[in-house]
Amino acid sequence: MAEQAHIGVTGLAVMGRNLARNFARHGHTVALHNRTTARTRALVEEFGHEGTFLPADSAADFVALLERPRRLVIMVKAGAPTDAVIDEFAELLEPGDMIVDGGNAHFEDTRRREAALRERGLHFVGAGISGGEEGALNGPSIMPGGSVESYAALGPLFEDISAKVDGAPCCAHIGPDGAGHFVKMVHNGIEYADMQLIAEAYDLLTRGLGKQPAQIADIFRTWNEGRLDSYLIEITADVLKHVDAATGKPFVDVVLDQAEQKGTGRWTVQTALDLGVPVSGIAEAVFARSVSGHAELRDAAQGLPGPKETWLDSAAADRFADDVEQALYASKIVAYAQGIHQIQAGSDTYDWSIDPGKVAEIWRGGCIIRARFLDRIREAYGPGRAPVSLLTAEYFHDALDGAQSSWRRVVSTAAELGIPTPGFAAALAYYDTLRSPRLPAALIQAQRDFFGAHTYRRVDRDGSFHTLWGGDRTEQTV
């Protein structure tokens, strides 16, 4: 009998190629397929020594190479291309086989695809894979959704190739249908917020203290030795230390200040609005990227008045870097708290039973937002613990208590100097909103009743009420 593959990968661009190599490096026989066969041949020629690859020229040959139950990983562009590949292969598969989408698909598309393939007896797994091309090759964080049965057959392979922290794989079954891609989407939303907060910290140290990128790189490296230890802080220090070969200038100073996006952060905010979950810090990060790209709008605003003082005095400057570290940590906590709240809301809405502690555990390695304090988040949602908000868990409550004076100084100082800090400010506003015993939402609801008869509830008795604002202003029970 001809040799058969444990798993197959179709779509051999950078991510697909590296994922296939990762499987092979771990001793798994991997079937390969790509729309253009030249890419398949190139992979085998260049990396064939890393393991056992079985190349296929056609979809039918590819499927024939896979052992039962067939495990077929799709690594193609999200949207219509993914649907086209699914339709092509579904015709060739048999009940019990599984198709895995390892791309950044929208979770609603994954739900739709899973339901359609389930009707045909096929398993469909939406697997969020984080870590970029390096993670795909050396160990990503993997967030598979789908059925329990599919994870029983697929999980051991994914766990094998995933990143490991303290010996534990950074991979776990997230929940049914679109749960995996939903969690990956929120992961990316938190990533947007984290990157924005780091960028604001850099901007404050540059414009507030006049420090050069190389000096700020040293500050970030120091921070990375403490509680802010994370992949994003680490690479930020590397970027800030880098010198452009063509000009001799700091690399960051020659990069156009227009940040692009692929859409997952935007999906996070749109979905949060649908769920009624406040993710203001993530939203501000998405909007900050949008603003950066509106060059004409920004050019037109260059003549707008701002504060006269643009530098801190020496007395304030001495403690400012420490204040920024505190503000960054506090705001980062808020970003993760908002993301976890959204995951919980999505889990409740779609009946996924997602474990936030398990999500934090598999985010500790491989993924872009991996950070030391994810251990603290895992502890906060450990067995028997279910805080309504991450902010109220003991460790984070105490951390925010210790950070808030610095946090407030940073936000107020930034406003006085005219340095935009939408991420820091939004995080602080969210924190203060949650801790306020009474909100001005009472006035908003009264206004809504005045102009639209939308009713209101009272603090002193049950029921819904409407005041006859255009009449004698008596109150009616509705």
Side-chain angles (χ1 to χ4, degrees):
M1 181 178 178
E3 185 174 13
Q4 289 195 298
H6 304 131
I7 196 162
V9 179
T10 181
L12 301 177
V14 174
M15 284 291 290
R17 179 187 66 189
N18 283 2
L19 199 65
R21 292 173 59 197
N22 193 350
F23 280 120
R25 286 177 170 189
H26 282 81
H28 303 291
T29 301
V30 185
L32 302 175
H33 174 264
N34 195 73
R35 186 172 55 86
T36 56
T37 56
R39 185 169 280 174
T40 307
R41 289 194 297 270
L43 192 158
V44 175
E45 290 171 4
E46 188 173 358
F47 303 109
H49 63 280
E50 293 183 338
T52 304
F53 296 107
L54 304 179
D57 291 338
S58 70
D61 290 344
F62 178 61
V63 170
L65 289 171
L66 299 172
E67 67 180 15
R68 296 290 311 275
R70 299 181 180 94
R71 292 167 285 212
L72 187 161
V73 181
I74 296 172
M75 298 297 291
V76 301
K77 186 177 180 180
T82 298
D83 281 321
V85 173
I86 290 171
D87 291 343
E88 178 183 14
F89 282 101
E91 295 294 330
L92 303 171
L93 298 176
E94 299 175 284
D97 292 345
M98 61 201 72
I99 297 176
V100 182
D101 178 9
N104 274 332
H106 194 287
F107 76 96
E108 289 286 13
D109 285 339
T110 302
R111 284 168 54 80
R112 168 178 58 80
R113 292 162 180 158
E114 192 276 338
L117 291 179
R118 191 183 341 121
E119 290 291 320
R120 304 172 64 166
L122 300 175
H123 296 284
F124 184 74
V125 175
I129 301 176
S130 178
E133 58 186 86
E134 180 183 344
L137 180 62
N138 297 317
S141 175
I142 309 178
M143 298 150 258
S147 67
V148 173
E149 294 81 5
S150 65
Y151 193 78
L154 182 68
L157 277 77
F158 272 167
E159 290 178 13
D160 196 21
I161 68 163
S162 71
K164 308 295 187 299
V165 176
D166 299 329
C170 293
C171 174
H173 183 228
I174 300 298
D177 55 74
H181 275 148
F182 185 93
V183 167
K184 175 56 163 58
M185 175 191 72
V186 176
H187 163 284
N188 286 22
I190 295 172
E191 176 186 310
Y192 273 54
D194 210 345
M195 293 172 70
Q196 175 64 25
L197 293 168
I198 292 170
E200 290 179 17
Y202 154 75
D203 204 27
L204 287 163
L205 296 175
T206 299
R207 296 169 62 182
L209 295 181
K211 291 190 177 294
Q212 296 301 307
Q215 295 174 299
I216 301 173
D218 291 337
I219 292 172
F220 273 70
R221 282 176 176 161
T222 299
W223 289 353
N224 203 50
E225 294 172 359
R227 61 184 183 172
L228 279 171
D229 175 20
S230 68
Y231 173 71
L232 285 172
I233 293 287
E234 176 187 340
I235 68 168
T236 299
D238 286 347
V239 169
L240 292 174
K241 205 75 170 181
H242 185 57
V243 175
D244 177 53
T247 63
K249 296 179 180 179
F251 173 72
V252 71
D253 289 346
V254 301
V255 177
L256 185 66
D257 60 340
Q258 296 179 15
E260 299 175 359
Q261 54 184 305
K262 289 190 174 180
T264 47
R266 184 168 63 248
W267 291 349
T268 303
V269 177
Q270 290 169 338
T271 303
L273 290 171
D274 292 337
L275 293 171
V277 176
V279 293
S280 50
I282 296 171
E284 286 295 348
V286 174
F287 286 131
R289 293 196 190 188
S290 297
V291 170
S292 76
H294 284 271
E296 184 177 349
L297 183 65
R298 293 172 58 197
D299 287 343
Q302 292 308 296
L304 293 176
K308 294 179 180 178
E309 297 295 330
T310 57
W311 297 90
L312 287 171
D313 60 44
S314 58
D318 289 340
R319 70 180 182 190
F320 192 62
D322 290 337
D323 281 348
V324 171
E325 188 271 346
Q326 293 272 17
L328 177 56
Y329 192 63
S331 299
K332 183 184 180 82
I333 292 170
V334 168
Y336 280 74
Q338 291 181 350
I340 291 171
H341 183 196
Q342 182 169 355
I343 288 172
Q344 291 174 307
S347 180
D348 291 343
T349 298
Y350 297 105
D351 196 24
W352 284 332
S353 300
I354 298 174
D355 178 357
K358 178 59 69 173
V359 171
E361 181 176 337
I362 67 173
W363 282 353
R364 293 183 303 157
C367 72
I368 303 301
I369 64 171
R370 58 186 184 264
R372 177 184 295 186
F373 88 149
L374 280 160
D375 269 323
R376 296 290 190 175
I377 297 178
R378 182 184 60 160
E379 292 170 4
Y381 291 94
R385 302 188 187 99
V388 175
S389 169
L390 179 67
L391 306 185
T392 63
E394 183 179 4
Y395 171 82
F396 296 102
H397 173 281
D398 293 346
L400 291 166
D401 183 33
Q404 69 166 303
S405 295
S406 293
W407 196 7
R408 296 180 191 285
R409 276 196 300 270
V410 167
V411 172
S412 60
T413 300
E416 290 173 355
L417 297 178
I419 301 173
T421 54
F424 285 161
L428 181 58
Y430 175 84
Y431 173 77
D432 281 337
T433 297
L434 291 190
R435 52 176 292 278
S436 294
R438 185 164 171 80
L439 297 171
L443 177 58
I444 293 171
Q445 194 60 25
Q447 292 169 330
R448 294 183 74 244
D449 187 62
F450 190 106
F451 66 70
H454 293 295
T455 75
Y456 53 89
R457 289 171 292 160
R458 297 177 59 97
V459 299
D460 53 0
R461 59 182 184 272
D462 293 334
S464 296
F465 304 90
H466 168 59
T467 292
L468 298 175
W469 298 102
D472 61 3
R473 302 203 172 185
T474 57
E475 183 176 78
Q476 297 180 327
T477 301
V478 180

